[in-house]
Amino acid sequence: MDPLLPGTPARLPDGRMLTAADTPPAAAEGAPTGGAARALAVDGRLLTGDGVQVRGFAGVHQGRLLVEAGLRDPAEQQVLLLDPDTGELTVLADDPAVPTVHSVLASAGTLLLTAAGREGIRRTVRTPDGREFTPADHAAPLPWRVAPVLQRVTEHGVPTALVLPRGHVPGQRLPVLVDGYGGPGFQDVSAEPRRWQHRQWWADQGFAVVTVDNRGTPYVSPAFTHAMYRGFSEVTLEDQVAALQALGARHRDLDLGRVGVRGWSYGGYLSALAVLRRPDVFHAAAAGAAPTDFRHYDTAYTERYLGLPQEHPEVYERDSLIPDAPKLTRPLLLMTGLADDNVHPSHTLRLSRALTDAGRPHQLLALPGVTHMTPGGTREKLMALELEFFRRELAAG
């Protein structure tokens, strides 16, 4: 389990040390999340329990700790005040009736509270003398008000989201587009409205857009996140497939005979992995900037989850996509920026070469001057090309 938690470790004003900790798994035995919670501890003494998934420490306010945490569904977030002596919790920001992500910034006794949900994004300033006001917002409004269907599925309680076309008529079967990340350290399924803008665009092109936070992603429980340790591919794919099938059983308009998958970075890895190893479930993939062999990834990120390659070569071999190249039977679009200094373009080029050597047709889009972050409108241009690809391969639209 990653021991790091934003804001910790921290020295409190009275000299005590605030650190991250996990509650004992036995305390939540049998829970669908796998048990245990991310917690805070003062000088090693736990302050929070299983009902609170702590996500970050934002500072000290009026003698209490400002904490961002989840009290209910992982898609939501609340802001709490925590007494460092007794562990008593006071909810500072929450919307029990509407899934919302609350966050806070603190400075000199003043709080900036942000609430992000399907109604949009609201910001409130609270001053030390008790005043409260809403600052002017000069940002352009979001294009769409999206209401993703948020559900937990499978025995692991995997968070999922479903976005349908606006004006969808029940009974109309839709090809499915799986759009997500799936890797450690990032949550896709969130009430935060900006997560769903591009997915609503995809849905309006004629797709049922499915997003799955498989085990290994954060904010469900330490055990849920830890499940990916020393093995990305098996857990990622197992949960994506199981969640997709569970959603198909609940929502009969999802045509599981036409399933595409797209993603970037780890999401690109997931996309290529899906058509290479489960062509019975996934029928076309667009894989962008995929780390196809983690032995060649450039940071210590990999070693935190897979261990050292010289000590666990079998783990790295099992998670590599290169040996799977001869198995390709589905349409695959590979994309990479030739100026990518995060996932080096050699990852995509090596997979393309392996596919070529195996006689497996595929498409390769190499983008001169484009980095990992696809600046300058590149992302939108790629989405248009992906749309053409999926419409052709899934007969959608």
Side-chain angles (χ1 to χ4, degrees):
M1 179 66 199
D2 181 3
L4 301 178
L5 190 73
T8 65
R11 183 74 69 179
L12 299 181
D14 60 9
R16 289 181 292 175
M17 181 63 71
L18 183 72
T19 57
D22 293 338
T23 61
E29 188 173 356
T33 61
R38 204 88 248 259
L40 286 173
V42 171
D43 286 347
R45 178 177 59 88
L46 284 175
L47 284 178
T48 55
D50 289 332
V52 182
Q53 293 286 348
V54 177
R55 301 184 182 184
F57 168 61
V60 177
H61 181 68
Q62 297 178 349
R64 291 183 289 177
L65 310 181
L66 269 173
V67 178
E68 295 173 337
L71 299 177
R72 294 185 297 273
D73 192 276
E76 305 176 37
Q77 180 172 284
Q78 291 77 37
V79 176
L80 313 174
L81 285 171
L82 174 64
D83 189 309
D85 297 316
T86 67
E88 179 184 0
L89 286 171
T90 302
V91 177
L92 189 63
D94 187 18
D95 287 324
V98 181
T100 305
V101 174
H102 294 269
S103 57
V104 64
L105 293 173
S107 177
T110 297
L111 303 181
L112 173 62
L113 294 160
T114 300
R118 65 179 58 175
E119 301 299 326
I121 301 173
R122 309 185 309 274
R123 293 180 177 85
T124 303
V125 174
R126 295 183 184 177
T127 63
D129 58 5
R131 289 179 298 144
E132 183 173 303
F133 63 91
T134 300
D137 187 351
H138 299 288
L142 296 175
W144 298 293
R145 179 182 172 185
V146 189
V149 179
L150 305 176
Q151 294 178 296
R152 305 281 295 280
V153 300
T154 81
E155 69 273 21
H156 300 298
V158 171
T160 68
L162 171 64
V163 179
L164 297 173
R166 291 173 293 166
H168 172 66
V169 178
Q172 178 186 5
R173 299 274 280 170
L174 296 168
V176 177
L177 183 63
V178 177
D179 181 355
Y181 183 74
F186 184 76
Q187 176 195 44
D188 257 323
V189 180
S190 167
E192 214 288 334
R194 287 168 291 196
R195 304 284 176 91
W196 308 107
Q197 297 300 304
H198 78 278
R199 291 175 175 126
Q200 186 64 69
W201 181 88
W202 276 107
D204 289 347
Q205 311 312 308
F207 298 91
V209 180
V210 168
T211 303
V212 177
D213 274 347
N214 49 259
R215 283 172 296 161
T217 57
Y219 303 151
V220 174
S221 76
F224 190 94
T225 301
H226 191 78
M228 189 180 271
Y229 183 59
R230 290 189 184 166
F232 286 156
S233 56
E234 183 176 351
V235 168
T236 299
L237 196 52
E238 177 184 323
D239 281 1
Q240 292 283 332
V241 170
L244 179 62
Q245 293 173 340
L247 290 175
R250 295 186 184 191
H251 304 277
R252 305 308 298 179
D253 287 352
L254 273 62
D255 185 353
L256 297 190
R258 294 184 293 162
V259 179
V261 53
R262 70 179 297 270
W264 194 265
S265 196
Y266 193 99
Y269 171 74
L270 163 60
S271 300
L273 175 73
V275 290
L276 286 167
R277 297 191 187 176
R278 291 303 303 269
D280 57 319
V281 176
F282 301 95
H283 307 102
T292 60
D293 188 335
F294 287 98
R295 285 169 291 204
H296 297 277
Y297 193 55
D298 66 348
T299 68
Y301 161 97
T302 303
E303 285 82 351
R304 290 170 61 193
Y305 300 99
L306 301 185
L308 296 176
Q310 62 269 32
E311 294 178 1
H312 304 283
E314 75 288 351
V315 172
Y316 284 80
E317 182 67 17
R318 186 168 61 242
D319 285 347
S320 173
L321 301 181
I322 306 302
D324 294 301
K327 303 176 185 176
L328 182 66
T329 59
R330 296 294 191 183
L332 173 59
L333 169 62
L334 298 174
M335 300 170 286
T336 184
L338 295 181
D340 193 331
D341 58 355
N342 184 345
V343 180
H344 194 272
S346 61
H347 281 271
T348 296
L349 299 179
R350 289 183 69 237
L351 178 58
S352 179
R353 177 173 179 175
L355 291 166
T356 301
D357 290 345
R360 299 299 176 184
H362 61 286
Q363 297 180 56
L364 172 63
L365 184 58
L367 307 166
V370 172
T371 67
H372 196 68
M373 305 310 294
T374 59
T378 300
R379 181 190 187 194
E380 290 76 11
K381 295 170 187 174
L382 288 176
M383 286 169 62
L385 294 173
E386 290 177 75
L387 176 60
E388 180 183 350
F389 169 79
F390 284 120
R391 280 182 167 166
R392 179 178 66 250
E393 303 300 346
L394 301 178

